Amino acid sequence: MDKFRMIFQFLQSNQESFMNGICGIMALASAQMYSAFDFNCPCLPGYNAAYSAGILLVPPLVLFLLGLVMNNNVSMLAEEWKRPPGRRAKDPAVLRYMFCSMAQRALIAPVVWVAVTLLDGKCFLCAFCTAVPVSLLGNGSLVPGLPPPELARLLARVPCPEIYDGDWLLAREVAVRYLRCISQALGWSFVLLTTLLAFVVRSVRPCFTQAAFLKSKYWSHYIDIERKLFDETCTEHAKAFAKVCIQQFFEAMNHDLELGHAHGALAAGPTGSAAPAATEGADEEREKLRGITDQGTMNRLLTSWHECKPPLRLGQEELLVGNGWAGGGPRPSRKEVATYFSKV
């Protein structure tokens, strides 16, 4: 159990590196899934484009959403976006920075899928086989004699060698090479554009807005650390609360048993120093409760934390009243009165 706890703490302390590793694994998994995927073009004029568009767009969308779901900061972003302002204003720049950081990692796997799909060429071949220029690549003299539906039916079967019967009009190998060449050119162009865009976003953008970038980065890290510390404090309080409740339950049961067996307790005599030690442990657990000793008070505290978080201003003591923080400025100075007593 301790080993799992140490691993979990290590992942929490290295969350950014862990998420980068997860995104890399998802990118490799997307490429492996495509290689294992059995692409079956329907070879019908009305379905080729729809099938290819689904293969090209739906899996990247699923991978993008999966990348967002696996990121722990999604719930933090939603909580920060939907929380009431209270005594702490919400900064849209921080929210944009948090979303862009998550989106950049989540887009890695979809980009790999699209790039691999275009470089492979099967999807592009299935989608645009009916747009092959037959007059340039095939027997153009026979095109005017074919009705458009029949020509579309013949060209739609180009991705399917077992049913293609239009070699007299257009050699299948010529059409396949032509479309795959265009697809690979688009694939490498897509890779180049996404690489340049990533370079601009990661390297050039902070140079022009360095101050705003540093502010957004700092407060994004603050929100993340504040949430973790609050969860740790609540966990520590819950453990102490549970220990004190269990101790009180056992003490009450022990008291009832002693009342029922008073003669046995008198005959047993003193039992040593276990009671002072238990009392000392109970006092230590009570100190961890920080004065929150009932369910209603804890619920009000959690509601107050959600509805009215404390202002980001240290060095000024403000009292928590109801569901908000009272006092908007420095506390007034107190007058001290000294009273002297004389001995008679």
Side-chain angles (χ1 to χ4, degrees):
M1 192 66 179
D2 295 336
K3 293 182 179 180
F4 287 108
R5 186 178 303 172
M6 293 176 60
I7 294 175
F8 181 73
Q9 292 177 354
F10 174 78
L11 294 178
Q12 280 189 331
S13 60
N14 300 272
Q15 184 178 2
E16 185 173 359
S17 300
F18 175 70
M19 290 307 304
N20 291 335
I22 289 295
C23 293
I25 293 174
M26 289 184 60
L28 295 177
S30 64
Q32 186 65 26
M33 282 190 300
Y34 182 83
S35 62
F37 176 72
D38 188 11
F39 188 89
N40 291 316
C41 184
C43 296
L44 295 174
Y47 297 91
N48 284 10
Y51 179 80
S52 301
I55 296 300
L56 185 64
L57 300 178
V58 174
L61 179 61
V62 174
L63 291 172
F64 177 73
L65 296 177
L66 186 61
L68 292 179
V69 169
M70 296 183 65
N71 197 318
N72 295 328
N73 294 330
V74 173
S75 59
M76 181 180 66
L77 175 62
E79 179 182 348
E80 183 67 17
W81 178 43
K82 296 297 293 183
R83 72 170 177 84
R87 298 283 293 174
R88 182 188 300 180
K90 292 186 287 187
D91 190 357
V94 177
L95 298 177
R96 287 195 299 268
Y97 175 83
M98 295 168 62
F99 177 77
C100 291
S101 299
M102 293 185 298
Q104 289 174 10
R105 294 188 179 96
L107 282 172
I108 296 177
V111 166
V112 171
W113 177 276
V114 174
V116 172
T117 303
L118 291 177
L119 292 175
D120 182 67
K122 294 179 182 178
C123 186
F124 190 86
L125 172 64
C126 180
F128 295 97
C129 59
T130 56
V132 175
V134 181
S135 58
L136 296 177
L137 302 178
N139 193 354
S141 60
L142 299 178
V143 175
L146 288 175
E150 182 65 19
L151 179 62
R153 185 188 66 82
L154 288 175
L155 295 179
R157 295 181 177 182
V158 170
C160 306
E162 61 276 2
I163 63 174
Y164 181 67
D165 54 356
D167 289 326
W168 54 272
L169 179 65
L170 174 66
R172 180 183 177 276
E173 187 65 23
V174 174
V176 170
R177 287 179 178 271
Y178 174 78
L179 292 176
R180 282 194 171 180
C181 178
I182 298 177
S183 179
Q184 290 177 358
L186 292 176
W188 284 116
S189 301
F190 177 77
V191 172
L192 178 61
L193 290 177
T194 53
T195 304
L196 291 177
L197 181 61
F199 172 77
V200 171
V201 171
R202 299 286 293 180
S203 302
V204 179
R205 183 178 63 88
C207 298
F208 294 97
T209 59
Q210 184 66 19
F213 177 76
L214 291 177
K215 292 177 183 178
S216 301
K217 184 177 181 180
Y218 175 85
W219 290 116
S220 174
H221 291 170
Y222 172 83
I223 293 172
D224 186 20
I225 295 173
E226 182 188 56
R227 184 190 183 191
K228 291 179 181 178
L229 292 177
F230 183 78
D231 292 341
E232 292 176 1
T233 305
C234 289
T235 302
E236 181 182 355
H237 185 277
K239 289 181 180 179
F241 194 91
K243 288 182 180 179
V244 173
C245 285
I246 293 173
Q247 289 174 358
Q248 289 181 352
F249 173 77
F250 277 91
E251 289 174 0
M253 291 296 297
N254 188 25
H255 181 67
D256 294 341
L257 294 175
E258 287 180 353
L259 291 179
H261 304 83
H263 59 280
L266 292 175
T271 59
S273 60
T279 304
E280 182 179 354
D283 294 338
E284 182 180 355
E285 296 298 332
R286 287 181 180 275
E287 291 179 359
K288 296 180 180 180
L289 294 177
R290 296 177 174 85
I292 310 298
T293 57
D294 62 276
Q295 183 179 8
T297 306
M298 191 64 199
N299 290 338
R300 287 195 298 271
L301 184 144
L302 296 175
T303 303
S304 176
W305 176 261
H306 170 70
E307 295 181 352
C308 191
K309 291 186 178 181
L312 299 176
R313 184 174 61 251
L314 303 180
Q316 297 182 5
E317 298 181 359
E318 295 183 345
L319 299 178
L320 183 62
V321 179
N323 290 331
W325 287 82
R331 298 178 63 181
S333 59
R334 296 183 301 176
K335 295 182 179 180
E336 297 182 357
V337 179
T339 304
Y340 297 92
F341 296 92
S342 60
K343 295 183 179 179
V344 180

